[in-house]
Amino acid sequence: EQELIGRQFGNYVAVRSFIRINSLEMRATRRILRRPGINTAKCAILVGGPDWPTSVTTGILKLNLLQMLLGTTPILPLIAASTAAGGMQLLKTKGDLYDSITVIVTFLSFLAQTASTLLAMYFIERTSTQYAAELAAEPPDEEVLAHDERQAAFSKAQRDGTNWSSAGVPLWPKVTIIASALMLAGACYLSVVATCFEPFSVSQRISDLPGGTVFGLVRPMGWVVIGLFVGGWVLRYIYRRWAVARARSWLRASTVDASISDASPPPPPPPSPP
């Protein structure tokens, strides 16, 4: 994750911009993770942060692989406990003891993971405040700064160009996004109030489902929910494609107007008094 994904994708400006590499918080995170060996702040970030995003971020920041692996070692007991809790799920049918053990181990693992996440947030905030001047003085990623400026201009053009009160906005995108919102809201509502899927646990077999196939897991109302969800996202995708095209044309028009304004000759000087 760190080397094959993070370090390679870190060569893309958009990826570095996505993780806000110039932000004070990310600089504070990099400062903490660069400390050698094992320390509380470093381990809190590597253990408390989301697994995949944290590993990929360390690669984007070009951090030392061995030091990151060393700082992640405190997660081994959590992995063992979570694996044991998952294994206990298969033994629940043999007695209530295994069920109780599963609940206790899962709760303790969740508690330790939550504590690590809160500690990571605390250490990042403390470092951002304590070393604010030094972190702000670090040279920024110039490519990311230029990218962020372009993205800000594009976002403004998209807000202005897709505003329903703007001239030239057709009716069909409005209908599309409203229909998308209604379909997605309907899917969420039905998934709560209706029984969409057959009860199933890891100790059961697919052959136990109606029809003996995985499709037996979905009840008729479940297919309705899936259809509404997929349809809503398709309509949203169509709207997004229109919004991007509209923003680009709006941005081009604004650039042309600015160029014409800059190239217009200055007004003539006032006539001299007689």
Side-chain angles (χ1 to χ4, degrees), residues 42-55 71-83 104-122:
K42 179 179 179 180
C43 293
I45 294 175
L46 294 174
V47 174
D51 176 30
W52 192 87
T54 302
S55 297
T72 312
T73 50
I75 203 174
L76 293 177
L78 289 178
I79 294 176
S82 300
T83 304
I104 294 173
V105 173
T106 302
F107 175 74
L108 291 177
S109 301
F110 170 78
L111 196 64
Q113 187 68 41
T114 303
S116 300
T117 303
L118 294 176
L119 277 175
M121 296 170 62
Y122 164 74

mmCIF file of all heavy atoms in Angstrom, residues 42-55 71-83 104-122:
data_model
loop_
_atom_site.group_PDB
_atom_site.id
_atom_site.type_symbol
_atom_site.label_atom_id
_atom_site.label_comp_id
_atom_site.label_asym_id
_atom_site.label_seq_id
_atom_site.Cartn_x
_atom_site.Cartn_y
_atom_site.Cartn_z
ATOM 1 N N LYS A 42 3.322 8.835 17.166
ATOM 2 C CA LYS A 42 3.505 8.145 15.886
ATOM 3 C C LYS A 42 2.635 6.892 15.811
ATOM 4 O O LYS A 42 1.948 6.656 14.808
ATOM 5 C CB LYS A 42 4.975 7.793 15.722
ATOM 6 C CG LYS A 42 5.323 7.049 14.438
ATOM 7 C CD LYS A 42 6.824 6.789 14.405
ATOM 8 C CE LYS A 42 7.252 6.029 13.173
ATOM 9 N NZ LYS A 42 8.713 5.791 13.162
ATOM 10 N N CYS A 43 2.644 6.090 16.872
ATOM 11 C CA CYS A 43 1.858 4.863 16.878
ATOM 12 C C CYS A 43 0.363 5.157 16.877
ATOM 13 O O CYS A 43 -0.425 4.416 16.283
ATOM 14 C CB CYS A 43 2.217 4.013 18.095
ATOM 15 S SG CYS A 43 3.910 3.364 18.058
ATOM 16 N N ALA A 44 -0.044 6.240 17.544
ATOM 17 C CA ALA A 44 -1.466 6.599 17.569
ATOM 18 C C ALA A 44 -1.974 6.888 16.165
ATOM 19 O O ALA A 44 -3.082 6.487 15.795
ATOM 20 C CB ALA A 44 -1.687 7.799 18.480
ATOM 21 N N ILE A 45 -1.172 7.575 15.358
ATOM 22 C CA ILE A 45 -1.591 7.892 13.991
ATOM 23 C C ILE A 45 -1.622 6.637 13.131
ATOM 24 O O ILE A 45 -2.591 6.387 12.397
ATOM 25 C CB ILE A 45 -0.651 8.947 13.377
ATOM 26 C CG1 ILE A 45 -0.795 10.277 14.110
ATOM 27 C CG2 ILE A 45 -0.919 9.122 11.886
ATOM 28 C CD1 ILE A 45 0.181 11.342 13.654
ATOM 29 N N LEU A 46 -0.575 5.819 13.208
ATOM 30 C CA LEU A 46 -0.485 4.636 12.357
ATOM 31 C C LEU A 46 -1.482 3.556 12.749
ATOM 32 O O LEU A 46 -1.950 2.796 11.897
ATOM 33 C CB LEU A 46 0.938 4.078 12.400
ATOM 34 C CG LEU A 46 2.029 4.976 11.795
ATOM 35 C CD1 LEU A 46 3.408 4.385 12.024
ATOM 36 C CD2 LEU A 46 1.790 5.186 10.303
ATOM 37 N N VAL A 47 -1.811 3.479 14.043
ATOM 38 C CA VAL A 47 -2.758 2.468 14.513
ATOM 39 C C VAL A 47 -4.189 3.007 14.495
ATOM 40 O O VAL A 47 -5.130 2.316 14.111
ATOM 41 C CB VAL A 47 -2.380 1.981 15.922
ATOM 42 C CG1 VAL A 47 -3.443 1.046 16.478
ATOM 43 C CG2 VAL A 47 -1.031 1.285 15.905
ATOM 44 N N GLY A 48 -4.362 4.268 14.902
ATOM 45 C CA GLY A 48 -5.701 4.841 15.020
ATOM 46 C C GLY A 48 -6.284 5.316 13.706
ATOM 47 O O GLY A 48 -7.507 5.433 13.576
ATOM 48 N N GLY A 49 -5.433 5.597 12.728
ATOM 49 C CA GLY A 49 -5.943 6.044 11.446
ATOM 50 C C GLY A 49 -6.526 4.892 10.642
ATOM 51 O O GLY A 49 -6.215 3.723 10.896
ATOM 52 N N PRO A 50 -7.390 5.189 9.663
ATOM 53 C CA PRO A 50 -7.918 4.124 8.792
ATOM 54 C C PRO A 50 -6.777 3.393 8.106
ATOM 55 O O PRO A 50 -5.823 4.016 7.627
ATOM 56 C CB PRO A 50 -8.785 4.894 7.784
ATOM 57 C CG PRO A 50 -9.063 6.212 8.422
ATOM 58 C CD PRO A 50 -7.899 6.520 9.300
ATOM 59 N N ASP A 51 -6.866 2.087 8.050
ATOM 60 C CA ASP A 51 -5.752 1.239 7.611
ATOM 61 C C ASP A 51 -5.216 1.640 6.242
ATOM 62 O O ASP A 51 -4.068 2.074 6.099
ATOM 63 C CB ASP A 51 -6.217 -0.223 7.608
ATOM 64 C CG ASP A 51 -5.139 -1.164 7.079
ATOM 65 O OD1 ASP A 51 -3.953 -0.848 7.250
ATOM 66 O OD2 ASP A 51 -5.481 -2.206 6.503
ATOM 67 N N TRP A 52 -6.038 1.480 5.195
ATOM 68 C CA TRP A 52 -5.575 1.723 3.831
ATOM 69 C C TRP A 52 -5.214 3.186 3.587
ATOM 70 O O TRP A 52 -4.119 3.473 3.073
ATOM 71 C CB TRP A 52 -6.642 1.242 2.842
ATOM 72 C CG TRP A 52 -6.171 1.167 1.425
ATOM 73 C CD1 TRP A 52 -5.543 0.123 0.811
ATOM 74 C CD2 TRP A 52 -6.285 2.193 0.435
ATOM 75 N NE1 TRP A 52 -5.260 0.441 -0.503
ATOM 76 C CE2 TRP A 52 -5.699 1.699 -0.757
ATOM 77 C CE3 TRP A 52 -6.819 3.484 0.442
ATOM 78 C CZ2 TRP A 52 -5.644 2.446 -1.927
ATOM 79 C CZ3 TRP A 52 -6.770 4.241 -0.721
ATOM 80 C CH2 TRP A 52 -6.188 3.711 -1.889
ATOM 81 N N PRO A 53 -6.077 4.149 3.932
ATOM 82 C CA PRO A 53 -5.710 5.558 3.679
ATOM 83 C C PRO A 53 -4.434 5.992 4.403
ATOM 84 O O PRO A 53 -3.644 6.763 3.858
ATOM 85 C CB PRO A 53 -6.932 6.333 4.186
ATOM 86 C CG PRO A 53 -8.056 5.368 4.115
ATOM 87 C CD PRO A 53 -7.462 4.039 4.438
ATOM 88 N N THR A 54 -4.251 5.491 5.637
ATOM 89 C CA THR A 54 -3.057 5.888 6.385
ATOM 90 C C THR A 54 -1.793 5.363 5.717
ATOM 91 O O THR A 54 -0.802 6.094 5.558
ATOM 92 C CB THR A 54 -3.149 5.382 7.831
ATOM 93 O OG1 THR A 54 -4.332 5.898 8.451
ATOM 94 C CG2 THR A 54 -1.928 5.821 8.636
ATOM 95 N N SER A 55 -1.800 4.104 5.315
ATOM 96 C CA SER A 55 -0.625 3.530 4.663
ATOM 97 C C SER A 55 -0.325 4.227 3.340
ATOM 98 O O SER A 55 0.828 4.522 3.022
ATOM 99 C CB SER A 55 -0.839 2.029 4.427
ATOM 100 O OG SER A 55 -0.990 1.344 5.649
ATOM 101 N N GLY A 71 6.408 1.549 13.508
ATOM 102 C CA GLY A 71 5.400 2.295 14.256
ATOM 103 C C GLY A 71 4.032 1.645 14.237
ATOM 104 O O GLY A 71 3.171 1.980 15.065
ATOM 105 N N THR A 72 3.812 0.710 13.315
ATOM 106 C CA THR A 72 2.508 0.049 13.211
ATOM 107 C C THR A 72 2.433 -1.227 14.037
ATOM 108 O O THR A 72 1.345 -1.789 14.202
ATOM 109 C CB THR A 72 2.201 -0.274 11.729
ATOM 110 O OG1 THR A 72 2.453 0.881 10.922
ATOM 111 C CG2 THR A 72 0.748 -0.657 11.526
ATOM 112 N N THR A 73 3.544 -1.706 14.575
ATOM 113 C CA THR A 73 3.551 -2.986 15.296
ATOM 114 C C THR A 73 2.581 -3.048 16.481
ATOM 115 O O THR A 73 2.076 -4.141 16.780
ATOM 116 C CB THR A 73 4.974 -3.315 15.791
ATOM 117 O OG1 THR A 73 5.519 -2.170 16.473
ATOM 118 C CG2 THR A 73 5.880 -3.670 14.628
ATOM 119 N N PRO A 74 2.257 -1.944 17.174
ATOM 120 C CA PRO A 74 1.287 -2.072 18.274
ATOM 121 C C PRO A 74 -0.101 -2.522 17.835
ATOM 122 O O PRO A 74 -0.932 -2.845 18.699
ATOM 123 C CB PRO A 74 1.238 -0.650 18.859
ATOM 124 C CG PRO A 74 2.565 -0.067 18.549
ATOM 125 C CD PRO A 74 2.919 -0.615 17.201
ATOM 126 N N ILE A 75 -0.373 -2.559 16.538
ATOM 127 C CA ILE A 75 -1.700 -2.994 16.080
ATOM 128 C C ILE A 75 -1.830 -4.512 16.076
ATOM 129 O O ILE A 75 -2.951 -5.047 15.942
ATOM 130 C CB ILE A 75 -1.985 -2.446 14.665
ATOM 131 C CG1 ILE A 75 -3.493 -2.384 14.416
ATOM 132 C CG2 ILE A 75 -1.301 -3.295 13.594
ATOM 133 C CD1 ILE A 75 -3.880 -1.720 13.121
ATOM 134 N N LEU A 76 -0.721 -5.233 16.256
ATOM 135 C CA LEU A 76 -0.781 -6.698 16.202
ATOM 136 C C LEU A 76 -1.740 -7.303 17.233
ATOM 137 O O LEU A 76 -2.505 -8.220 16.895
ATOM 138 C CB LEU A 76 0.632 -7.276 16.370
ATOM 139 C CG LEU A 76 1.600 -6.968 15.216
ATOM 140 C CD1 LEU A 76 2.984 -7.527 15.528
ATOM 141 C CD2 LEU A 76 1.073 -7.558 13.907
ATOM 142 N N PRO A 77 -1.745 -6.841 18.504
ATOM 143 C CA PRO A 77 -2.739 -7.395 19.442
ATOM 144 C C PRO A 77 -4.180 -7.125 19.007
ATOM 145 O O PRO A 77 -5.051 -7.977 19.215
ATOM 146 C CB PRO A 77 -2.415 -6.677 20.762
ATOM 147 C CG PRO A 77 -0.984 -6.270 20.632
ATOM 148 C CD PRO A 77 -0.801 -5.945 19.181
ATOM 149 N N LEU A 78 -4.430 -5.961 18.393
ATOM 150 C CA LEU A 78 -5.783 -5.658 17.923
ATOM 151 C C LEU A 78 -6.190 -6.600 16.787
ATOM 152 O O LEU A 78 -7.345 -7.045 16.719
ATOM 153 C CB LEU A 78 -5.870 -4.210 17.457
ATOM 154 C CG LEU A 78 -5.810 -3.137 18.545
ATOM 155 C CD1 LEU A 78 -5.869 -1.750 17.906
ATOM 156 C CD2 LEU A 78 -6.946 -3.307 19.529
ATOM 157 N N ILE A 79 -5.238 -6.885 15.910
ATOM 158 C CA ILE A 79 -5.535 -7.811 14.811
ATOM 159 C C ILE A 79 -5.850 -9.205 15.360
ATOM 160 O O ILE A 79 -6.807 -9.859 14.921
ATOM 161 C CB ILE A 79 -4.351 -7.876 13.835
ATOM 162 C CG1 ILE A 79 -4.165 -6.513 13.133
ATOM 163 C CG2 ILE A 79 -4.570 -8.971 12.803
ATOM 164 C CD1 ILE A 79 -2.962 -6.462 12.226
ATOM 165 N N ALA A 80 -5.069 -9.640 16.335
ATOM 166 C CA ALA A 80 -5.305 -10.959 16.929
ATOM 167 C C ALA A 80 -6.675 -11.019 17.594
ATOM 168 O O ALA A 80 -7.410 -12.003 17.449
ATOM 169 C CB ALA A 80 -4.199 -11.280 17.935
ATOM 170 N N ALA A 81 -7.034 -9.951 18.329
ATOM 171 C CA ALA A 81 -8.327 -9.937 19.019
ATOM 172 C C ALA A 81 -9.484 -9.918 18.024
ATOM 173 O O ALA A 81 -10.482 -10.631 18.198
ATOM 174 C CB ALA A 81 -8.401 -8.727 19.944
ATOM 175 N N SER A 82 -9.361 -9.099 16.971
ATOM 176 C CA SER A 82 -10.432 -9.027 15.969
ATOM 177 C C SER A 82 -10.576 -10.344 15.220
ATOM 178 O O SER A 82 -11.695 -10.788 14.920
ATOM 179 C CB SER A 82 -10.144 -7.886 14.991
ATOM 180 O OG SER A 82 -10.068 -6.645 15.660
ATOM 181 N N THR A 83 -9.448 -11.003 14.924
ATOM 182 C CA THR A 83 -9.498 -12.296 14.246
ATOM 183 C C THR A 83 -10.148 -13.347 15.135
ATOM 184 O O THR A 83 -10.957 -14.176 14.665
ATOM 185 C CB THR A 83 -8.083 -12.748 13.849
ATOM 186 O OG1 THR A 83 -7.469 -11.723 13.047
ATOM 187 C CG2 THR A 83 -8.123 -14.037 13.073
ATOM 188 N N ILE A 104 -17.490 -9.452 24.028
ATOM 189 C CA ILE A 104 -16.495 -8.785 24.880
ATOM 190 C C ILE A 104 -15.246 -8.422 24.081
ATOM 191 O O ILE A 104 -14.741 -7.294 24.154
ATOM 192 C CB ILE A 104 -16.136 -9.683 26.076
ATOM 193 C CG1 ILE A 104 -17.352 -9.849 26.999
ATOM 194 C CG2 ILE A 104 -14.952 -9.112 26.849
ATOM 195 C CD1 ILE A 104 -17.143 -10.862 28.113
ATOM 196 N N VAL A 105 -14.738 -9.386 23.307
ATOM 197 C CA VAL A 105 -13.509 -9.135 22.538
ATOM 198 C C VAL A 105 -13.746 -8.055 21.482
ATOM 199 O O VAL A 105 -12.901 -7.172 21.281
ATOM 200 C CB VAL A 105 -13.023 -10.443 21.885
ATOM 201 C CG1 VAL A 105 -11.856 -10.165 20.937
ATOM 202 C CG2 VAL A 105 -12.588 -11.441 22.955
ATOM 203 N N THR A 106 -14.895 -8.105 20.819
ATOM 204 C CA THR A 106 -15.204 -7.088 19.808
ATOM 205 C C THR A 106 -15.294 -5.712 20.442
ATOM 206 O O THR A 106 -14.793 -4.721 19.885
ATOM 207 C CB THR A 106 -16.522 -7.427 19.099
ATOM 208 O OG1 THR A 106 -16.421 -8.728 18.507
ATOM 209 C CG2 THR A 106 -16.833 -6.410 18.019
ATOM 210 N N PHE A 107 -15.928 -5.624 21.606
ATOM 211 C CA PHE A 107 -16.059 -4.327 22.284
ATOM 212 C C PHE A 107 -14.701 -3.783 22.708
ATOM 213 O O PHE A 107 -14.415 -2.597 22.535
ATOM 214 C CB PHE A 107 -16.966 -4.469 23.506
ATOM 215 C CG PHE A 107 -17.053 -3.218 24.338
ATOM 216 C CD1 PHE A 107 -17.781 -2.124 23.902
ATOM 217 C CD2 PHE A 107 -16.389 -3.131 25.550
ATOM 218 C CE1 PHE A 107 -17.848 -0.963 24.656
ATOM 219 C CE2 PHE A 107 -16.448 -1.984 26.315
ATOM 220 C CZ PHE A 107 -17.183 -0.892 25.875
ATOM 221 N N LEU A 108 -13.840 -4.648 23.245
ATOM 222 C CA LEU A 108 -12.514 -4.192 23.676
ATOM 223 C C LEU A 108 -11.671 -3.739 22.480
ATOM 224 O O LEU A 108 -10.947 -2.742 22.567
ATOM 225 C CB LEU A 108 -11.804 -5.313 24.435
ATOM 226 C CG LEU A 108 -12.401 -5.674 25.804
ATOM 227 C CD1 LEU A 108 -11.652 -6.849 26.420
ATOM 228 C CD2 LEU A 108 -12.377 -4.467 26.746
ATOM 229 N N SER A 109 -11.775 -4.455 21.374
ATOM 230 C CA SER A 109 -11.046 -4.054 20.170
ATOM 231 C C SER A 109 -11.535 -2.708 19.667
ATOM 232 O O SER A 109 -10.744 -1.841 19.287
ATOM 233 C CB SER A 109 -11.206 -5.116 19.076
ATOM 234 O OG SER A 109 -10.719 -6.361 19.500
ATOM 235 N N PHE A 110 -12.862 -2.543 19.652
ATOM 236 C CA PHE A 110 -13.434 -1.267 19.225
ATOM 237 C C PHE A 110 -12.994 -0.140 20.153
ATOM 238 O O PHE A 110 -12.668 0.970 19.696
ATOM 239 C CB PHE A 110 -14.954 -1.375 19.207
ATOM 240 C CG PHE A 110 -15.655 -0.069 19.004
ATOM 241 C CD1 PHE A 110 -15.735 0.503 17.739
ATOM 242 C CD2 PHE A 110 -16.233 0.609 20.068
ATOM 243 C CE1 PHE A 110 -16.372 1.727 17.540
ATOM 244 C CE2 PHE A 110 -16.870 1.819 19.882
ATOM 245 C CZ PHE A 110 -16.947 2.380 18.619
ATOM 246 N N LEU A 111 -12.963 -0.399 21.437
ATOM 247 C CA LEU A 111 -12.559 0.620 22.411
ATOM 248 C C LEU A 111 -11.108 1.032 22.196
ATOM 249 O O LEU A 111 -10.770 2.233 22.210
ATOM 250 C CB LEU A 111 -12.754 0.073 23.825
ATOM 251 C CG LEU A 111 -12.763 1.101 24.974
ATOM 252 C CD1 LEU A 111 -13.941 2.037 24.828
ATOM 253 C CD2 LEU A 111 -12.820 0.374 26.313
ATOM 254 N N ALA A 112 -10.220 0.057 21.995
ATOM 255 C CA ALA A 112 -8.807 0.367 21.774
ATOM 256 C C ALA A 112 -8.601 1.130 20.476
ATOM 257 O O ALA A 112 -7.817 2.092 20.417
ATOM 258 C CB ALA A 112 -7.992 -0.929 21.760
ATOM 259 N N GLN A 113 -9.325 0.745 19.418
ATOM 260 C CA GLN A 113 -9.198 1.432 18.136
ATOM 261 C C GLN A 113 -9.696 2.863 18.237
ATOM 262 O O GLN A 113 -9.085 3.805 17.710
ATOM 263 C CB GLN A 113 -9.978 0.680 17.062
ATOM 264 C CG GLN A 113 -9.791 1.205 15.647
ATOM 265 C CD GLN A 113 -8.385 0.978 15.120
ATOM 266 O OE1 GLN A 113 -7.808 -0.079 15.351
ATOM 267 N NE2 GLN A 113 -7.831 1.950 14.434
ATOM 268 N N THR A 114 -10.811 3.062 18.927
ATOM 269 C CA THR A 114 -11.358 4.409 19.105
ATOM 270 C C THR A 114 -10.414 5.278 19.912
ATOM 271 O O THR A 114 -10.202 6.456 19.590
ATOM 272 C CB THR A 114 -12.730 4.334 19.794
ATOM 273 O OG1 THR A 114 -13.611 3.503 19.027
ATOM 274 C CG2 THR A 114 -13.342 5.709 19.936
ATOM 275 N N ALA A 115 -9.821 4.721 20.963
ATOM 276 C CA ALA A 115 -8.875 5.478 21.778
ATOM 277 C C ALA A 115 -7.653 5.895 20.952
ATOM 278 O O ALA A 115 -7.172 7.032 21.070
ATOM 279 C CB ALA A 115 -8.441 4.649 22.980
ATOM 280 N N SER A 116 -7.185 5.004 20.082
ATOM 281 C CA SER A 116 -6.040 5.341 19.227
ATOM 282 C C SER A 116 -6.396 6.461 18.258
ATOM 283 O O SER A 116 -5.587 7.368 18.020
ATOM 284 C CB SER A 116 -5.593 4.096 18.449
ATOM 285 O OG SER A 116 -5.202 3.062 19.311
ATOM 286 N N THR A 117 -7.605 6.422 17.718
ATOM 287 C CA THR A 117 -8.031 7.473 16.788
ATOM 288 C C THR A 117 -8.118 8.824 17.488
ATOM 289 O O THR A 117 -7.669 9.852 16.949
ATOM 290 C CB THR A 117 -9.396 7.116 16.180
ATOM 291 O OG1 THR A 117 -9.306 5.840 15.522
ATOM 292 C CG2 THR A 117 -9.836 8.162 15.178
ATOM 293 N N LEU A 118 -8.692 8.837 18.682
ATOM 294 C CA LEU A 118 -8.791 10.097 19.437
ATOM 295 C C LEU A 118 -7.409 10.625 19.816
ATOM 296 O O LEU A 118 -7.155 11.836 19.763
ATOM 297 C CB LEU A 118 -9.645 9.880 20.686
ATOM 298 C CG LEU A 118 -11.123 9.561 20.440
ATOM 299 C CD1 LEU A 118 -11.840 9.266 21.750
ATOM 300 C CD2 LEU A 118 -11.804 10.722 19.718
ATOM 301 N N LEU A 119 -6.510 9.715 20.176
ATOM 302 C CA LEU A 119 -5.134 10.135 20.482
ATOM 303 C C LEU A 119 -4.448 10.715 19.248
ATOM 304 O O LEU A 119 -3.719 11.715 19.351
ATOM 305 C CB LEU A 119 -4.333 8.947 21.017
ATOM 306 C CG LEU A 119 -4.477 8.626 22.504
ATOM 307 C CD1 LEU A 119 -3.724 7.351 22.836
ATOM 308 C CD2 LEU A 119 -3.975 9.783 23.362
ATOM 309 N N ALA A 120 -4.660 10.105 18.095
ATOM 310 C CA ALA A 120 -4.060 10.621 16.862
ATOM 311 C C ALA A 120 -4.547 12.040 16.575
ATOM 312 O O ALA A 120 -3.756 12.927 16.239
ATOM 313 C CB ALA A 120 -4.404 9.697 15.693
ATOM 314 N N MET A 121 -5.841 12.284 16.731
ATOM 315 C CA MET A 121 -6.386 13.624 16.514
ATOM 316 C C MET A 121 -5.798 14.616 17.508
ATOM 317 O O MET A 121 -5.482 15.754 17.149
ATOM 318 C CB MET A 121 -7.908 13.577 16.628
ATOM 319 C CG MET A 121 -8.583 12.724 15.568
ATOM 320 S SD MET A 121 -10.333 12.441 15.890
ATOM 321 C CE MET A 121 -10.952 14.122 15.847
ATOM 322 N N TYR A 122 -5.629 14.177 18.754
ATOM 323 C CA TYR A 122 -5.067 15.055 19.783
ATOM 324 C C TYR A 122 -3.622 15.438 19.465
ATOM 325 O O TYR A 122 -3.249 16.620 19.524
ATOM 326 C CB TYR A 122 -5.140 14.365 21.142
ATOM 327 C CG TYR A 122 -4.263 15.005 22.195
ATOM 328 C CD1 TYR A 122 -4.609 16.221 22.775
ATOM 329 C CD2 TYR A 122 -3.067 14.399 22.587
ATOM 330 C CE1 TYR A 122 -3.800 16.816 23.734
ATOM 331 C CE2 TYR A 122 -2.252 14.985 23.540
ATOM 332 C CZ TYR A 122 -2.615 16.187 24.104
ATOM 333 O OH TYR A 122 -1.803 16.781 25.037
#
